[in-house]
Coordinates of all heavy atoms in Angstrom, one line a residue:
M26 N -17.9 -36.0 -18.1 CA -18.0 -34.9 -17.0 C -16.8 -34.2 -16.8 O -15.6 -34.8 -16.8 CB -18.3 -35.6 -15.8 CG -18.4 -34.6 -14.6 SD -19.1 -35.3 -13.1 CE -19.1 -33.8 -11.9
V27 N -16.7 -32.9 -17.1 CA -15.6 -32.0 -16.9 C -15.6 -31.4 -15.5 O -16.4 -30.7 -15.2 CB -15.5 -31.0 -18.1 CG1 -14.3 -30.1 -17.9 CG2 -15.6 -31.7 -19.4
L28 N -14.5 -31.6 -14.9 CA -14.3 -31.0 -13.5 C -13.9 -29.5 -13.7 O -13.1 -29.2 -14.7 CB -13.3 -31.7 -12.7 CG -13.5 -33.2 -12.3 CD1 -12.4 -33.8 -11.6 CD2 -14.7 -33.1 -11.3
P29 N -14.4 -28.8 -12.8 CA -14.1 -27.3 -12.9 C -12.6 -27.1 -12.7 O -11.9 -27.8 -11.9 CB -14.9 -26.6 -11.7 CG -15.2 -27.8 -10.9 CD -15.3 -29.0 -11.6
L30 N -12.0 -26.1 -13.2 CA -10.5 -25.9 -13.1 C -10.2 -25.3 -11.7 O -9.1 -25.4 -11.3 CB -10.1 -24.8 -14.2 CG -10.1 -25.3 -15.6 CD1 -9.9 -24.3 -16.6 CD2 -9.2 -26.5 -15.8
V31 N -11.1 -24.8 -11.0 CA -10.9 -24.3 -9.7 C -10.7 -25.4 -8.7 O -11.5 -26.4 -8.5 CB -12.1 -23.5 -9.2 CG1 -11.9 -22.9 -7.8 CG2 -12.4 -22.3 -10.1
D32 N -9.5 -25.4 -8.1 CA -9.2 -26.4 -7.1 C -9.7 -26.0 -5.6 O -9.1 -25.0 -5.2 CB -7.6 -26.5 -7.0 CG -7.2 -27.7 -6.2 OD1 -8.1 -28.1 -5.3 OD2 -6.1 -28.1 -6.2
Q33 N -10.7 -26.7 -5.1 CA -11.2 -26.2 -3.9 C -10.3 -26.4 -2.7 O -10.6 -25.7 -1.6 CB -12.5 -27.1 -3.5 CG -13.6 -27.0 -4.7 CD -14.2 -25.7 -4.7 OE1 -14.2 -25.0 -3.8 NE2 -14.9 -25.4 -5.9
H34 N -9.1 -27.1 -2.8 CA -8.4 -27.3 -1.7 C -7.2 -26.2 -1.7 O -6.6 -26.1 -0.6 CB -7.6 -28.7 -1.8 CG -8.6 -29.8 -1.7 ND1 -9.2 -30.1 -0.6 CD2 -9.2 -30.6 -2.8 CE1 -10.1 -31.1 -0.8 NE2 -9.9 -31.5 -2.2
R35 N -7.2 -25.3 -2.7 CA -6.1 -24.3 -2.5 C -6.7 -23.1 -1.9 O -7.9 -22.7 -2.0 CB -5.7 -23.9 -3.9 CG -4.9 -25.0 -4.7 CD -4.9 -24.6 -6.3 NE -4.1 -23.5 -6.5 CZ -4.1 -22.8 -7.6 NH1 -4.7 -23.2 -8.6 NH2 -3.3 -21.7 -7.7
P36 N -5.9 -22.4 -1.1 CA -6.3 -21.2 -0.3 C -6.7 -20.2 -1.3 O -6.0 -19.9 -2.3 CB -5.1 -20.9 0.6 CG -3.9 -21.5 -0.2 CD -4.5 -22.8 -0.8
K37 N -7.8 -19.5 -0.8 CA -8.2 -18.4 -1.7 C -8.2 -17.1 -0.8 O -8.6 -17.0 0.3 CB -9.7 -18.8 -2.2 CG -10.4 -17.6 -2.9 CD -11.9 -18.0 -3.2 CE -12.6 -16.8 -3.8 NZ -14.0 -17.1 -4.1
C38 N -7.7 -16.0 -1.5 CA -7.8 -14.8 -0.9 C -9.2 -14.3 -0.9 O -9.8 -14.0 -2.0 CB -6.9 -13.7 -1.6 SG -7.0 -12.1 -0.9
F39 N -9.8 -13.9 0.3 CA -11.2 -13.5 0.4 C -11.3 -12.1 0.0 O -12.5 -11.5 0.0 CB -11.7 -13.8 1.7 CG -11.0 -13.0 2.9 CD1 -11.3 -11.9 3.3 CD2 -9.9 -13.7 3.5 CE1 -10.6 -11.3 4.3 CE2 -9.2 -13.1 4.4 CZ -9.5 -11.8 5.0
L40 N -10.2 -11.3 -0.2 CA -10.4 -10.0 -0.6 C -10.4 -9.8 -2.0 O -11.0 -8.8 -2.5 CB -9.1 -9.2 0.0 CG -9.0 -9.1 1.5 CD1 -7.7 -8.7 2.1 CD2 -10.2 -8.2 2.0
C41 N -9.7 -10.6 -2.8 CA -9.7 -10.5 -4.2 C -10.0 -11.7 -5.0 O -9.9 -11.7 -6.2 CB -8.4 -9.8 -4.6 SG -7.0 -10.9 -4.4
S42 N -10.4 -12.8 -4.3 CA -10.9 -14.0 -5.0 C -9.8 -14.6 -5.8 O -10.1 -15.4 -6.6 CB -12.1 -13.7 -5.7 OG -13.1 -13.3 -4.8
R43 N -8.5 -14.4 -5.4 CA -7.5 -15.1 -6.2 C -7.0 -16.5 -5.5 O -7.1 -16.5 -4.2 CB -6.3 -14.2 -6.3 CG -6.5 -13.2 -7.4 CD -5.3 -12.1 -7.4 NE -4.1 -12.9 -7.6 CZ -2.9 -12.2 -7.6 NH1 -2.8 -10.9 -7.2 NH2 -1.7 -12.9 -7.8
F44 N -6.6 -17.4 -6.2 CA -6.2 -18.7 -5.5 C -4.7 -18.7 -5.4 O -4.0 -18.2 -6.3 CB -6.7 -19.9 -6.3 CG -8.2 -20.1 -6.1 CD1 -9.0 -19.4 -7.0 CD2 -8.7 -20.9 -5.1 CE1 -10.5 -19.5 -6.7 CE2 -10.0 -21.0 -5.0 CZ -11.0 -20.4 -5.8
F45 N -4.2 -19.5 -4.5 CA -2.7 -19.6 -4.3 C -2.4 -20.9 -4.0 O -3.1 -21.7 -3.6 CB -2.2 -18.6 -3.3 CG -2.5 -17.2 -3.5 CD1 -3.7 -16.6 -3.2 CD2 -1.4 -16.5 -4.1 CE1 -3.9 -15.2 -3.5 CE2 -1.7 -15.1 -4.4 CZ -2.9 -14.5 -4.0
D46 N -1.0 -21.3 -4.2 CA -0.6 -22.7 -4.2 C -0.7 -23.2 -2.8 O -0.8 -24.3 -2.5 CB 0.9 -22.7 -4.7 CG 0.9 -22.5 -6.2 OD1 -0.2 -22.8 -6.9 OD2 1.8 -22.1 -6.7
D47 N -0.4 -22.3 -1.7 CA -0.4 -22.7 -0.4 C -0.6 -21.4 0.5 O -0.8 -20.3 0.0 CB 0.9 -23.4 0.0 CG 2.1 -22.5 -0.5 OD1 2.1 -21.4 -0.2 OD2 3.1 -23.1 -1.1
L48 N -0.7 -21.7 1.8 CA -1.0 -20.7 2.7 C 0.1 -19.7 2.9 O -0.2 -18.5 3.0 CB -1.3 -21.2 4.1 CG -2.7 -22.0 4.4 CD1 -2.8 -22.6 5.6 CD2 -3.9 -21.1 4.1
E49 N 1.3 -20.1 2.7 CA 2.5 -19.2 2.7 C 2.3 -18.2 1.6 O 2.6 -17.0 1.7 CB 3.7 -20.0 2.7 CG 4.0 -20.6 4.0 CD 4.2 -19.7 5.1 OE1 4.8 -18.6 4.9 OE2 3.7 -20.0 6.3
A50 N 2.0 -18.6 0.4 CA 2.0 -17.8 -0.8 C 0.7 -16.9 -0.6 O 0.9 -15.6 -0.9 CB 1.6 -18.7 -2.2
L51 N -0.4 -17.3 0.0 CA -1.5 -16.4 0.3 C -1.1 -15.4 1.4 O -1.6 -14.2 1.1 CB -2.8 -17.2 0.8 CG -3.9 -16.5 1.3 CD1 -4.5 -15.7 0.2 CD2 -5.0 -17.5 1.9
R52 N -0.5 -15.8 2.3 CA -0.1 -14.8 3.4 C 0.8 -13.7 2.8 O 0.8 -12.5 3.1 CB 0.6 -15.6 4.5 CG 0.9 -14.6 5.7 CD 1.5 -15.6 6.9 NE 0.6 -16.7 7.1 CZ 0.9 -17.8 7.8 NH1 2.2 -17.9 8.2 NH2 0.1 -18.7 8.2
A53 N 1.9 -14.2 2.0 CA 2.7 -13.3 1.3 C 1.9 -12.2 0.5 O 2.3 -11.1 0.5 CB 3.8 -13.9 0.7
H54 N 1.0 -12.8 -0.1 CA 0.1 -11.9 -1.1 C -0.5 -10.9 -0.3 O -0.6 -9.7 -0.6 CB -0.8 -12.8 -2.0 CG -2.0 -12.1 -2.4 ND1 -2.0 -11.2 -3.5 CD2 -3.3 -12.1 -1.9 CE1 -3.0 -10.6 -3.6 NE2 -4.0 -11.2 -2.7
Q55 N -1.2 -11.3 0.7 CA -2.1 -10.5 1.6 C -1.2 -9.5 2.3 O -1.6 -8.3 2.5 CB -2.9 -11.3 2.6 CG -4.0 -12.1 2.0 CD -4.9 -12.7 2.9 OE1 -4.5 -13.0 4.1 NE2 -6.2 -12.8 2.6
E56 N 0.0 -9.9 2.7 CA 1.0 -8.9 3.4 C 1.5 -7.8 2.5 O 2.0 -6.8 3.0 CB 2.0 -9.5 4.2 CG 1.5 -10.3 5.3 CD 2.7 -11.1 6.1 OE1 3.7 -11.1 5.5 OE2 2.4 -11.6 7.1
S57 N 1.3 -8.0 1.2 CA 1.9 -7.1 0.2 C 0.8 -6.3 -0.5 O 0.6 -5.1 -0.5 CB 2.7 -7.9 -0.9 OG 2.0 -8.7 -1.5
D58 N -0.2 -7.1 -1.1 CA -1.3 -6.4 -1.8 C -2.2 -5.8 -0.9 O -3.1 -5.0 -1.3 CB -2.0 -7.5 -2.7 CG -0.9 -7.8 -4.0 OD1 0.2 -7.5 -3.9 OD2 -1.4 -8.3 -5.0
H59 N -2.5 -6.6 0.2 CA -3.6 -6.0 1.2 C -2.9 -5.6 2.5 O -3.4 -5.9 3.6 CB -4.6 -7.1 1.3 CG -5.2 -7.6 0.1 ND1 -5.9 -6.8 -0.8 CD2 -5.1 -9.0 -0.4 CE1 -6.2 -7.6 -1.8 NE2 -5.8 -8.9 -1.6
K60 N -1.8 -5.0 2.4 CA -1.0 -4.6 3.6 C -1.8 -3.8 4.6 O -1.8 -4.2 5.8 CB 0.1 -3.8 3.2 CG 1.2 -3.6 4.3 CD 2.5 -3.0 3.7 CE 3.6 -3.0 4.7 NZ 3.3 -2.1 5.8
D61 N -2.6 -2.8 4.2 CA -3.4 -2.0 5.1 C -4.4 -2.9 5.9 O -4.7 -2.8 7.1 CB -4.1 -0.9 4.4 CG -3.1 0.1 3.9 OD1 -2.0 0.0 4.4 OD2 -3.3 0.8 2.9
F62 N -5.1 -3.8 5.1 CA -6.1 -4.6 5.7 C -5.5 -5.6 6.7 O -6.1 -5.8 7.8 CB -6.9 -5.4 4.5 CG -8.0 -6.3 5.0 CD1 -9.2 -5.8 5.2 CD2 -7.8 -7.6 5.5 CE1 -10.2 -6.6 5.7 CE2 -8.7 -8.4 5.9 CZ -10.0 -7.9 6.0
V63 N -4.4 -6.3 6.4 CA -3.9 -7.2 7.4 C -3.4 -6.5 8.5 O -3.5 -7.0 9.7 CB -2.5 -7.9 6.6 CG1 -1.9 -8.8 7.7 CG2 -3.1 -8.7 5.4
E64 N -2.7 -5.4 8.4 CA -2.3 -4.6 9.6 C -3.4 -4.2 10.4 O -3.3 -4.2 11.6 CB -1.4 -3.4 9.1 CG 0.0 -3.7 8.5 CD 0.8 -2.6 8.3 OE1 0.1 -1.5 8.1 OE2 1.9 -2.7 7.9
F65 N -4.5 -3.8 9.9 CA -5.7 -3.4 10.6 C -6.3 -4.5 11.5 O -6.4 -4.3 12.7 CB -6.7 -2.9 9.7 CG -8.0 -2.4 10.4 CD1 -8.1 -1.2 10.9 CD2 -9.1 -3.3 10.3 CE1 -9.3 -0.8 11.7 CE2 -10.3 -3.0 11.0 CZ -10.4 -1.8 11.6
H66 N -6.3 -5.7 10.9 CA -7.0 -6.8 11.6 C -5.9 -7.5 12.6 O -6.4 -8.3 13.3 CB -7.5 -7.8 10.6 CG -8.7 -7.3 10.0 ND1 -10.0 -7.7 10.7 CD2 -9.1 -6.6 9.1 CE1 -10.9 -7.1 10.0 NE2 -10.5 -6.4 8.9
S67 N -4.6 -7.3 12.4 CA -3.7 -7.9 13.2 C -3.1 -7.1 14.3 O -2.4 -7.4 15.1 CB -2.4 -8.4 12.5 OG -1.8 -7.4 11.9
G68 N -3.7 -5.7 14.4 CA -3.2 -4.8 15.3 C -4.3 -4.5 16.4 O -4.2 -3.4 17.0
E69 N -5.1 -5.6 16.8 CA -6.1 -5.2 17.7 C -5.5 -5.1 19.1 O -6.2 -4.6 20.0 CB -7.0 -6.4 17.7 CG -7.9 -6.5 16.4 CD -8.8 -7.7 16.4 OE1 -9.0 -8.3 17.5 OE2 -9.4 -8.0 15.4
H70 N -4.3 -5.6 19.4 CA -3.7 -5.4 20.7 C -3.1 -4.0 20.9 O -2.9 -3.7 22.1 CB -2.4 -6.4 20.7 CG -1.4 -6.3 19.8 ND1 -1.6 -6.8 18.5 CD2 -0.3 -5.6 19.8 CE1 -0.6 -6.5 17.8 NE2 0.3 -5.8 18.6
S71 N -3.1 -3.3 19.8 CA -2.5 -2.0 19.9 C -3.5 -1.0 19.1 O -3.0 -0.6 18.0 CB -1.1 -1.8 19.5 OG -1.0 -2.2 18.1
P72 N -4.6 -0.6 19.7 CA -5.5 0.3 18.9 C -4.9 1.7 18.6 O -4.1 2.3 19.5 CB -6.6 0.4 19.8 CG -6.2 0.2 21.1 CD -5.2 -1.0 20.9
A73 N -5.0 2.1 17.4 CA -4.6 3.4 17.1 C -5.1 4.5 17.8 O -6.4 4.4 18.1 CB -4.6 3.7 15.6
P74 N -4.5 5.7 18.3 CA -5.1 6.7 19.0 C -6.1 7.4 18.1 O -6.0 7.6 16.9 CB -3.9 7.6 19.1 CG -2.7 6.9 19.0 CD -2.9 5.8 18.1
G75 N -7.3 7.7 18.6 CA -8.3 8.4 17.8 C -9.1 7.4 17.1 O -10.0 7.9 16.3
D76 N -8.8 6.2 17.1 CA -9.6 5.2 16.4 C -10.6 4.4 17.3 O -11.0 3.4 16.9 CB -8.6 4.2 15.7 CG -9.2 3.5 14.6 OD1 -10.4 3.9 14.0 OD2 -8.8 2.3 14.3
V77 N -10.9 4.9 18.4 CA -11.8 4.2 19.3 C -13.2 4.7 19.1 O -13.5 5.9 19.1 CB -11.3 4.4 20.7 CG1 -12.3 3.8 21.7 CG2 -9.9 4.1 21.1
A78 N -14.1 3.8 18.8 CA -15.5 4.0 18.7 C -16.2 4.1 20.1 O -16.1 3.3 21.0 CB -16.2 2.9 17.8
V79 N -16.9 5.2 20.3 CA -17.6 5.3 21.4 C -19.1 5.3 21.4 O -19.6 6.0 20.4 CB -17.4 6.9 22.1 CG1 -18.2 7.0 23.4 CG2 -15.8 6.9 22.4
F80 N -19.8 4.4 22.0 CA -21.1 4.2 21.9 C -21.9 4.7 23.0 O -21.6 4.6 24.1 CB -21.4 2.6 21.7 CG -21.0 2.1 20.5 CD1 -19.7 1.4 20.6 CD2 -21.4 2.2 19.2 CE1 -19.1 0.8 19.5 CE2 -20.9 1.6 18.1 CZ -19.7 0.9 18.3
Ligands
ZN106 ZN1 -5.8 -10.8 -2.3

């Protein structure tokens, strides 16, 4: 029986499906390669002007 090469315990970037050695490496990757996405989801305390949805 051959085990898959994918290590289930390693953190995976849900944006590009890449695996990283640890959470720090994943975080550094997301803050650089997915900078816009990270800033968007971490800036909920300060909504950008004109970005408010009205229902
Ligand atoms: Zn990524």
